[in-house]
Amino acid sequence: MTGTTPAAPFTAGDYRSRMTRAARTAADAGLAGLLVAPGPDMVWLTGYTPTAVTERLTLLVLAPGRDPVLVVPTLEAPDAEKAAGAAVLTLRDWTDGTDPYAMTADLLAEDGRFGISDNAWAMHLLGLQKTLPGTSYASLTDALPMLRAVKDPAELELLAAAGAAADATFEEIRKVPFAGRRESDVGHDLADLLRRFGHEQVDFTIVGSGPNGANPHHEVGDRVLQDGDMVVLDFGGLKDGYGSDTTRTVHVGPPTAEEREVHDIVRAAQEAGFRAVRPGAACQEVDRAARAVITDAGYGEFFIHRTGHGIGVTTHEPPYMIEGEEQPLVPGMCFSVEPGIYLPGRFGVRIEDIVTVTGDGGRRFNNTTREMVIVS
Ligand code: ZN
Ligand code: ZN
Ligand code: ZN
């Protein structure tokens, strides 16, 4: 987590309605409140990111029917006050040498069950449990998976702009030399371009060449790119606080007929996944639509991951496009559609766009060509 809080176009009123909705959703889920640590949920709810996340407790406490309270170390209170959401919450600061858990406990029901951020430090959860032994805790993300899933119009604009910046990055990277350079060199180029086009944070720059492309988790290595390589390029990060994530698979020099065929299958699968996006369809239908194309072509066993994940103030979040996820799609949800085929020891192909659900279908935030691009 970096300390840059980008100038988001959100007002105190926006943050108030998010906090109110979160508290209400928590109550509906049977929770006495939400304990929100610095990170994506806190940024989304308050606009506040501490300059540095340290061992000192910073915690947003949301409980239905009560004003939101942000517990902060005294020395960070002046920073917290500057956050747009600070106008609609109460700051409670604690000084070194006092017990922040006792202060927080005053705000909590003694026997309540609370949703707590997935990224809260264990030491803070243990401190609260020790102070209030009757309380219990649940993963905030598990309890409220759709809390941040439906984006408002301003968020959609920011995600569209992040997608356009990632597209601009692809248009530049396809012009750089590949053959003779290492994957890590191209990865550096990708990071530089993402920053040049406005990203303040680069989350990943995957350059999977030849056999490395068959491992979806490969990031970059020392392998020198050569003529004949398929190269999976998957890159993204945060621009003005909102995420980008796109993949294109390029080829160094002319491809073989088999490489073309596999790329065509993935492209058709990605198109089928995109066409399955419409309000009311279950998340798993997007996965099924993309997977059916790959399975029917005989490559089903080589599509080894889910079809997509949500995106917002992070680059990976609910909803997930995966078999078994029956959550219906709602206009304003944003997620990736990214099928792939991975042939062990040989090469991989993946094509990924961020898509948002509209009133009657889907709209892509990534619009560079999905044809196989030949690089040199
Ligand atoms: Zn090749
Ligand atoms: Zn990606
Ligand atoms: Zn992705």
Side-chain angles (χ1 to χ4, degrees):
M1 193 54 40
T2 61
T4 46
T5 305
F10 305 111
T11 63
D14 293 327
Y15 291 116
R16 187 194 343 251
S17 66
R18 288 178 186 177
M19 286 191 275
T20 304
R21 178 148 45 97
R24 190 176 351 109
T25 313
D28 291 346
L31 298 171
L34 297 177
L35 306 176
V36 182
D41 291 322
M42 186 177 283
V43 167
W44 186 79
L45 287 163
T46 69
Y48 179 51
T49 303
T51 316
V53 178
T54 69
E55 75 289 353
R56 292 190 176 95
L57 179 69
T58 298
L59 197 68
L60 174 69
V61 180
L62 295 180
R66 295 187 59 162
D67 281 343
V69 176
L70 182 62
V71 175
V72 286
T74 302
L75 74 171
E76 293 171 20
D79 268 354
E81 276 166 22
K82 288 182 209 148
V88 290
L89 53 73
T90 304
L91 277 186
R92 272 215 201 177
D93 64 305
W94 62 276
T95 51
D96 287 352
T98 63
D99 181 352
Y101 307 115
M103 172 188 275
T104 306
D106 281 350
L107 304 165
L108 307 180
E110 272 175 30
D111 57 354
R113 182 167 177 77
F114 296 91
I116 186 163
S117 297
D118 293 8
N119 64 318
W121 287 20
M123 65 177 279
H124 297 318
L125 176 56
L126 292 169
L128 290 168
Q129 280 178 324
K130 196 174 166 201
T131 308
L132 287 174
T135 52
S136 61
Y137 300 87
S139 151
L140 193 157
T141 305
D142 282 354
L144 277 60
M146 296 304 142
L147 178 63
R148 294 190 267 110
V150 177
K151 274 65 182 179
D152 68 25
E155 292 184 290
L156 293 174
E157 256 180 56
L158 288 164
L159 284 162
D167 285 358
T169 296
F170 180 72
E171 294 300 352
E172 291 302 313
I173 203 72
R174 59 184 286 185
K175 298 178 199 159
V176 308
F178 280 67
R181 297 170 76 221
R182 289 173 305 187
E183 290 177 346
S184 52
D185 297 327
V186 178
H188 280 132
D189 290 350
L190 283 169
D192 288 347
L193 287 164
L194 285 168
R195 289 198 184 89
R196 192 208 295 176
F197 292 114
H199 283 64
E200 68 276 4
Q201 181 177 316
V202 175
D203 283 1
F204 44 86
T205 54
I206 294 175
V207 182
S209 69
N212 290 339
N215 171 8
H217 286 157
H218 177 79
E219 184 115 334
V220 293
D222 288 337
R223 187 175 180 280
V224 175
L225 300 158
Q226 50 194 305
D227 209 46
D229 280 349
M230 271 297 212
V231 188
V232 177
L233 302 171
D234 183 348
F235 46 95
L238 298 184
K239 178 182 185 295
D240 297 326
Y242 278 77
S244 69
D245 182 6
T246 186
T247 308
R248 293 294 184 261
T249 302
V250 300
H251 194 272
V252 186
T256 65
E258 182 198 23
E259 286 168 332
R260 241 187 217 299
E261 188 198 343
V262 170
H263 192 276
D264 281 347
I265 294 163
V266 173
R267 186 155 57 93
Q270 208 274 347
E271 182 67 24
F274 171 69
R275 291 193 178 285
V277 175
R278 62 177 189 284
C283 289
Q284 65 182 359
E285 290 177 44
V286 177
D287 183 82
R288 285 175 182 172
R291 199 167 298 278
V293 172
I294 291 175
T295 302
D296 290 350
Y299 287 91
E301 67 183 290
F302 303 111
F303 178 14
I304 52 179
H305 54 73
R306 65 192 174 208
T307 292
H309 55 82
I311 190 166
V313 295
T314 73
T315 45
H316 283 90
E317 61 188 42
Y320 295 103
M321 304 302 119
I322 188 171
E323 181 65 33
E325 180 52 85
E326 293 173 358
Q327 167 69 41
L329 298 178
V330 174
M333 282 183 174
C334 298
F335 49 83
S336 67
V337 177
E338 51 174 310
I341 292 176
Y342 308 93
L343 303 177
R346 302 187 57 215
F347 65 90
V349 175
R350 178 166 65 259
I351 299 173
E352 172 178 26
D353 293 324
I354 300 303
V355 170
T356 187
V357 185
T358 64
D360 59 358
R363 174 162 81 94
R364 288 176 157 114
F365 288 154
N366 296 108
N367 295 288
T368 56
T369 182
R370 281 167 287 275
E371 305 272 341
M372 192 197 294
V373 167
I374 308 302
V375 296
S376 51

